[in-house]
Amino acid sequence: MLGIAWDAHRAATGEDLPGGSFTIDYPALDPEWNFDFDDAERVALRLPKLDALYA
């Protein structure tokens, strides 16, 4: 999404946005989701509906 604003500014002014124009604060990751997503058993336990689509 930030690319849209970046491109619009460049089209309107012919210049890049100054560095640090955008910052994103992501929320902390819930520790329950800090697992190996290649672990099929764990994925099936945490995401049963998604697992069912690809089973």
Side-chain angles (χ1 to χ4, degrees):
M1 290 300 297
L2 296 178
I4 295 169
W6 195 278
D7 292 343
H9 178 79
R10 188 178 300 133
T13 66
E15 299 178 4
D16 286 342
L17 285 168
S21 296
F22 292 104
T23 58
I24 301 172
D25 292 324
Y26 294 104
L29 180 64
D30 181 345
E32 291 290 321
W33 289 98
N34 190 15
F35 63 88
D36 181 9
F37 282 86
D38 290 326
D39 180 347
E41 290 180 19
R42 187 71 186 258
V43 170
L45 178 66
R46 297 288 300 169
L47 303 164
K49 290 181 181 180
L50 184 62
D51 181 65
L53 288 174
Y54 295 99

